[in-house]
Amino acid sequence: MDNPSALPSSSRRGTPAGWQTCEEVEHRNEILLAGRVIAEPSVRELHNGGQLVTWRIAVNRPSSKRRPRQEADPITCVSFHRDMVELTRDWRIGDTVQVTGALRRRFWRSVHGAASVFEVEAKTARRVKAADSSAVTSRGCQ
């Protein structure tokens, strides 16, 4: 084509067809996870009187020839919502859960210098299946 402006915007900028460019879409940070609980929720009291609940889940990966031994990704989830403490209280290792939230990077000073970790800050959570039964519970925190 003689006129580059006649091309779809995605083709001009090298963006895959159907995708929007940064100028065309708002920034988003949304996570949806489903996996097995591998560390039961624990609650920590904060200096401001609030509570922080933390748990870990393992999310299975599709099988891969590149990494045949890494079958799942362990992911730390946290929440500052007061209701989440109660919602996760009866979760046990092996339960299947679903979590929505946002990816966050937390920084702190350690004896070895600055350190950081990525976590999912949970907005909603529900147990889909208990480890020892097929009971389904649906609870969330907004």
Side-chain angles (χ1 to χ4, degrees):
M1 281 190 171
D2 295 330
N3 182 1
S5 64
L7 292 172
S9 62
S10 60
S11 298
R12 279 196 316 266
R13 295 186 182 108
T15 305
W19 284 35
Q20 295 176 318
T21 65
C22 287
E23 297 84 21
E24 300 170 331
V25 69
E26 291 184 38
H27 292 214
R28 298 178 79 157
N29 184 349
E30 297 176 325
I31 300 289
L32 169 63
L33 300 170
R36 287 174 292 106
V37 175
I38 57 173
E40 292 179 5
S42 64
V43 180
R44 190 174 83 186
E45 300 295 324
L46 302 175
H47 297 295
N48 66 4
Q51 294 179 317
L52 172 68
V53 60
T54 304
W55 66 93
R56 289 173 56 84
I57 64 174
V59 177
N60 289 343
R61 284 185 170 192
S63 60
S64 169
K65 292 179 183 175
R66 287 183 174 171
R67 296 178 186 237
R69 295 183 188 197
Q70 189 166 0
E71 298 173 351
D73 290 303
I75 299 171
T76 301
C77 300
V78 301
S79 182
F80 297 94
H81 293 286
R82 287 197 174 273
D83 294 347
M84 197 67 75
V85 173
E86 189 60 35
L87 292 173
T88 61
R89 185 178 308 275
D90 61 344
W91 288 7
R92 299 294 174 251
I93 292 176
D95 288 352
T96 302
V97 299
Q98 184 175 341
V99 177
T100 66
L103 186 63
R104 302 283 188 243
R105 187 171 183 192
R106 183 169 52 90
F107 297 89
W108 71 93
R109 294 184 194 274
S110 73
V111 294
H112 303 292
S116 69
V117 65
F118 283 98
E119 301 169 324
V120 171
E121 187 175 323
K123 180 180 179 184
T124 67
R126 69 185 187 114
R127 182 170 58 187
V128 177
K129 180 180 174 188
D132 59 351
S133 74
S134 59
V136 175
T137 60
S138 179
R139 301 186 298 180
C141 175
Q142 293 287 340

Coordinates of all heavy atoms in Angstrom, one line a residue, residues 66-102:
R66 N 9.8 -28.1 27.9 CA 10.9 -27.2 28.4 C 11.1 -27.4 29.9 O 12.2 -27.3 30.4 CB 10.6 -25.8 28.1 CG 10.7 -25.4 26.7 CD 10.4 -23.9 26.5 NE 10.7 -23.5 25.2 CZ 10.4 -22.3 24.8 NH1 9.8 -21.4 25.6 NH2 10.6 -22.0 23.5
R67 N 10.0 -27.5 30.7 CA 10.1 -27.5 32.1 C 9.2 -28.7 32.6 O 8.2 -28.4 33.3 CB 9.7 -26.2 32.8 CG 10.6 -25.1 32.4 CD 10.1 -23.8 33.0 NE 10.9 -22.7 32.5 CZ 11.5 -21.9 33.3 NH1 11.5 -22.0 34.6 NH2 12.2 -20.9 32.8
P68 N 9.6 -29.9 32.4 CA 8.8 -31.0 32.8 C 8.6 -31.2 34.3 O 7.7 -31.8 34.7 CB 9.5 -32.2 32.1 CG 10.9 -31.8 32.0 CD 10.9 -30.3 31.7
R69 N 9.5 -30.7 35.0 CA 9.5 -30.9 36.5 C 8.7 -29.8 37.2 O 8.4 -29.9 38.4 CB 10.9 -31.0 37.1 CG 11.6 -32.2 36.6 CD 12.9 -32.3 37.2 NE 13.6 -33.4 36.5 CZ 14.7 -34.0 37.0 NH1 15.2 -33.6 38.1 NH2 15.2 -35.0 36.3
Q70 N 8.5 -28.6 36.6 CA 7.7 -27.6 37.2 C 6.3 -27.7 36.8 O 5.9 -27.2 35.7 CB 8.3 -26.2 36.9 CG 7.6 -25.1 37.7 CD 8.4 -23.8 37.6 OE1 9.4 -23.7 37.0 NE2 7.9 -22.8 38.3
E71 N 5.5 -28.4 37.6 CA 4.1 -28.7 37.2 C 3.1 -27.6 37.7 O 2.0 -27.5 37.2 CB 3.7 -30.0 37.8 CG 4.5 -31.2 37.2 CD 4.3 -32.5 37.9 OE1 3.6 -32.5 39.0 OE2 4.8 -33.5 37.5
A72 N 3.6 -26.8 38.7 CA 2.7 -25.8 39.2 C 3.5 -24.5 39.7 O 4.7 -24.6 40.0 CB 1.9 -26.3 40.4
D73 N 2.8 -23.4 39.7 CA 3.4 -22.2 40.2 C 2.8 -21.9 41.6 O 1.6 -21.8 41.7 CB 3.1 -21.0 39.3 CG 3.8 -21.1 38.0 OD1 5.0 -21.2 38.0 OD2 3.1 -21.1 36.9
P74 N 3.7 -21.7 42.6 CA 3.2 -21.3 43.9 C 3.0 -19.8 43.9 O 3.9 -19.1 43.5 CB 4.3 -21.7 44.9 CG 5.5 -21.7 44.1 CD 5.1 -22.0 42.6
I75 N 1.8 -19.3 44.4 CA 1.5 -17.9 44.4 C 1.0 -17.5 45.7 O 0.1 -18.1 46.3 CB 0.4 -17.6 43.3 CG1 1.0 -18.0 41.9 CG2 0.0 -16.2 43.3 CD1 0.0 -18.0 40.8
T76 N 1.6 -16.4 46.3 CA 1.2 -15.9 47.5 C 0.1 -14.9 47.3 O 0.1 -14.0 46.4 CB 2.4 -15.1 48.2 OG1 3.4 -16.1 48.4 CG2 2.0 -14.6 49.6
C77 N -1.0 -15.0 48.1 CA -2.1 -14.1 48.1 C -2.2 -13.4 49.4 O -2.0 -14.0 50.5 CB -3.4 -14.9 47.8 SG -3.4 -15.7 46.2
V78 N -2.6 -12.1 49.4 CA -2.8 -11.3 50.6 C -4.1 -10.5 50.5 O -4.5 -10.2 49.4 CB -1.6 -10.4 50.9 CG1 -0.3 -11.2 51.0 CG2 -1.5 -9.3 49.8
S79 N -4.6 -10.1 51.7 CA -5.7 -9.2 51.7 C -5.8 -8.4 52.9 O -5.5 -8.9 54.0 CB -7.0 -10.0 51.5 OG -8.1 -9.1 51.5
F80 N -6.1 -7.2 52.8 CA -6.3 -6.3 53.9 C -7.8 -6.1 54.3 O -8.1 -5.4 55.2 CB -5.7 -4.9 53.6 CG -4.2 -4.9 53.3 CD1 -3.7 -5.0 52.1 CD2 -3.3 -4.8 54.4 CE1 -2.4 -5.1 51.8 CE2 -2.0 -4.9 54.2 CZ -1.5 -5.0 52.9
H81 N -8.7 -6.8 53.5 CA -10.1 -6.7 53.8 C -10.4 -7.5 55.1 O -10.0 -8.6 55.2 CB -10.9 -7.3 52.7 CG -10.9 -6.5 51.4 ND1 -11.5 -5.3 51.3 CD2 -10.2 -6.8 50.2 CE1 -11.3 -4.9 50.0 NE2 -10.5 -5.7 49.4
R82 N -11.1 -6.8 56.0 CA -11.4 -7.5 57.3 C -12.3 -8.7 57.1 O -12.1 -9.7 57.7 CB -12.2 -6.5 58.2 CG -11.3 -5.5 58.9 CD -12.1 -4.9 60.0 NE -11.2 -4.0 60.8 CZ -10.4 -4.3 61.7 NH1 -10.3 -5.6 62.1 NH2 -9.6 -3.4 62.3
D83 N -13.2 -8.7 56.1 CA -14.1 -9.8 55.8 C -13.3 -11.0 55.3 O -13.7 -12.2 55.5 CB -15.1 -9.4 54.8 CG -16.1 -8.4 55.3 OD1 -16.1 -8.2 56.5 OD2 -16.8 -7.8 54.4
M84 N -12.2 -10.8 54.7 CA -11.4 -11.9 54.1 C -10.8 -12.8 55.2 O -10.7 -14.0 55.0 CB -10.3 -11.4 53.2 CG -9.7 -12.4 52.3 SD -10.8 -13.0 51.0 CE -10.8 -11.6 49.9
V85 N -10.6 -12.3 56.4 CA -10.1 -13.2 57.5 C -11.1 -14.2 57.8 O -10.8 -15.4 57.9 CB -9.8 -12.3 58.7 CG1 -9.4 -13.2 59.9 CG2 -8.6 -11.3 58.4
E86 N -12.4 -13.8 57.9 CA -13.4 -14.7 58.2 C -13.7 -15.7 57.0 O -14.0 -16.9 57.2 CB -14.7 -14.0 58.6 CG -15.8 -14.9 59.1 CD -15.4 -15.6 60.3 OE1 -14.7 -15.1 61.2 OE2 -15.9 -16.8 60.5
L87 N -13.7 -15.1 55.8 CA -14.0 -15.9 54.6 C -13.0 -17.1 54.4 O -13.4 -18.1 53.8 CB -14.0 -15.0 53.4 CG -15.1 -14.0 53.3 CD1 -14.9 -13.1 52.1 CD2 -16.5 -14.7 53.2
T88 N -11.8 -16.9 54.8 CA -10.7 -17.9 54.5 C -10.4 -18.7 55.7 O -9.6 -19.6 55.7 CB -9.4 -17.2 54.0 OG1 -9.0 -16.3 55.1 CG2 -9.6 -16.4 52.7
R89 N -11.1 -18.4 56.8 CA -10.8 -19.1 58.1 C -10.8 -20.6 58.0 O -9.9 -21.3 58.6 CB -11.7 -18.6 59.2 CG -11.4 -19.2 60.6 CD -12.3 -18.6 61.7 NE -12.4 -17.2 61.7 CZ -11.6 -16.4 62.3 NH1 -10.6 -16.9 62.9 NH2 -11.8 -15.1 62.3
D90 N -11.7 -21.2 57.3 CA -11.9 -22.7 57.3 C -11.2 -23.3 56.1 O -11.3 -24.5 55.9 CB -13.3 -23.1 57.4 CG -14.2 -22.6 56.2 OD1 -13.7 -21.7 55.5 OD2 -15.3 -23.1 56.0
W91 N -10.4 -22.6 55.3 CA -9.6 -23.2 54.2 C -8.5 -24.1 54.8 O -7.9 -23.8 55.8 CB -9.0 -22.1 53.4 CG -10.0 -21.3 52.5 CD1 -11.3 -21.4 52.6 CD2 -9.6 -20.4 51.5 NE1 -11.9 -20.5 51.6 CE2 -10.8 -19.9 51.0 CE3 -8.4 -19.9 51.1 CZ2 -10.9 -18.9 50.0 CZ3 -8.5 -18.9 50.1 CH2 -9.7 -18.4 49.5
R92 N -8.3 -25.2 54.1 CA -7.3 -26.2 54.5 C -6.4 -26.5 53.3 O -6.8 -26.4 52.1 CB -8.0 -27.5 55.1 CG -8.8 -27.2 56.3 CD -7.9 -26.8 57.5 NE -8.7 -26.4 58.6 CZ -8.9 -25.2 59.1 NH1 -8.4 -24.2 58.5 NH2 -9.6 -25.0 60.1
I93 N -5.3 -27.0 53.6 CA -4.4 -27.5 52.5 C -5.1 -28.5 51.6 O -5.7 -29.4 52.2 CB -3.0 -28.0 53.1 CG1 -2.3 -26.8 53.7 CG2 -2.2 -28.7 52.0 CD1 -1.0 -27.3 54.4
G94 N -5.0 -28.3 50.3 CA -5.7 -29.2 49.4 C -7.0 -28.7 48.9 O -7.5 -29.2 47.8
D95 N -7.6 -27.7 49.6 CA -8.8 -27.1 49.1 C -8.6 -26.4 47.7 O -7.5 -25.9 47.5 CB -9.4 -26.1 50.0 CG -10.0 -26.6 51.3 OD1 -10.1 -27.8 51.4 OD2 -10.3 -25.8 52.2
T96 N -9.5 -26.5 46.8 CA -9.5 -25.7 45.6 C -10.2 -24.4 45.8 O -11.3 -24.4 46.2 CB -10.1 -26.5 44.4 OG1 -9.5 -27.8 44.3 CG2 -10.0 -25.8 43.1
V97 N -9.5 -23.3 45.4 CA -10.1 -22.0 45.6 C -9.9 -21.2 44.4 O -9.1 -21.5 43.5 CB -9.4 -21.3 46.8 CG1 -9.6 -22.1 48.1 CG2 -7.9 -21.0 46.5
Q98 N -10.7 -20.1 44.3 CA -10.7 -19.2 43.2 C -10.5 -17.8 43.8 O -11.1 -17.4 44.8 CB -12.0 -19.2 42.4 CG -11.9 -18.3 41.2 CD -13.1 -18.4 40.3 OE1 -13.9 -19.4 40.4 NE2 -13.4 -17.4 39.5
V99 N -9.6 -17.0 43.3 CA -9.2 -15.7 43.8 C -9.2 -14.7 42.7 O -8.6 -15.0 41.6 CB -7.8 -15.8 44.5 CG1 -7.4 -14.4 45.0 CG2 -7.8 -16.8 45.6
T100 N -9.7 -13.5 42.9 CA -9.5 -12.4 42.0 C -8.8 -11.3 42.7 O -9.0 -11.2 43.9 CB -10.9 -11.9 41.4 OG1 -11.6 -11.3 42.5 CG2 -11.7 -13.0 40.7
G101 N -8.1 -10.5 42.0 CA -7.4 -9.4 42.6 C -6.5 -8.7 41.7 O -6.7 -8.7 40.4
A102 N -5.4 -8.2 42.2 CA -4.4 -7.4 41.4 C -3.0 -7.8 41.8 O -2.7 -8.2 43.0 CB -4.6 -5.9 41.6

